[in-house]
Amino acid sequence: MEESAADAGQGRAPTETPAEFTARVIGGRHGIAAEVAVLQRLYEQVRFGGLVADEGDRRSAADALRGIKAG
């Protein structure tokens, strides 16, 4: 993905984390930036923040994925 994005002039900045880069590139698609932000926030909270995802979090993630698919 990074190589393709770089070829399109959207390479990852030296200070940009892989998650930030992915959110920027995917979130740049019209109409899905909010959904990408929801998924990134949930991922980071679970992966790095110790959050144990509850049913509401899973529902939010599923809703975001449906929005991305529809967008």
Side-chain angles (χ1 to χ4, degrees):
M1 181 172 159
E2 279 192 50
E3 187 175 316
S4 295
D7 290 346
Q10 296 295 319
R12 184 162 66 102
T15 59
E16 198 170 33
T17 67
E20 291 167 338
F21 165 74
T22 302
R24 177 176 56 82
V25 171
I26 295 173
R29 282 185 43 208
H30 182 68
I32 65 166
E35 288 85 355
V36 170
V38 167
L39 286 177
Q40 183 177 8
R41 178 184 53 79
L42 287 169
Y43 169 77
E44 289 176 351
Q45 288 176 340
V46 170
R47 177 69 172 96
F48 304 111
L51 175 74
V52 176
D54 62 17
E55 190 57 36
D57 296 324
R58 288 187 283 279
R59 193 170 32 256
S60 293
D63 290 344
L65 288 170
R66 279 191 289 278
I68 290 169
K69 186 175 179 181

